Amino acid sequence: MIGIEKYTLKDGQTGWQVSLSAKTQNQAESAVQTRRFSCARYGEQAFQKALEWFENSYYQAAEIKIKSSTASNCRLHKI
């Protein structure tokens, strides 16, 4: 599950918050990663930075999942 939403803190600071939820190894639990990108720091690029972080995190998690599933399918053969 993904969420990108605009936030406003009590002090008036605004930005974009990204949440990425993924199932863990045992499939009964899920891990949530959250990151904020403030407009004060990134300016008009805050949303773009949030989107890039999501894409990098999502594809990195998918790559790890693919590698771990192919590693479990490999079998050593005695010669």
Side-chain angles (χ1 to χ4, degrees):
M1 176 179 221
I2 178 180
I4 298 179
E5 60 187 357
K6 191 164 189 167
Y7 71 87
T8 303
L9 300 178
K10 290 180 182 180
D11 64 359
Q13 183 181 3
T14 61
W16 293 92
Q17 177 173 302
V18 184
S19 299
L20 174 64
S21 176
K23 292 284 184 185
T24 58
Q25 290 283 340
N26 64 11
Q27 298 295 320
E29 300 174 10
S30 62
V32 178
Q33 296 181 24
T34 302
R35 177 115 187 248
R36 286 185 175 169
F37 296 86
S38 71
C39 291
R41 180 172 182 184
Y42 296 105
E44 294 179 14
Q45 296 295 316
F47 181 79
Q48 184 63 36
K49 292 287 185 182
L51 193 57
E52 287 173 4
W53 179 84
F54 161 72
E55 289 174 341
N56 290 336
S57 299
Y58 178 81
Y59 290 117
Q60 196 172 47
E63 183 177 314
I64 290 169
K65 185 176 181 179
I66 289 170
K67 283 182 181 179
S68 66
S69 67
T70 57
S72 64
N73 291 336
C74 293
R75 301 195 193 289
L76 294 176
H77 298 283
K78 287 187 176 182
I79 299 177

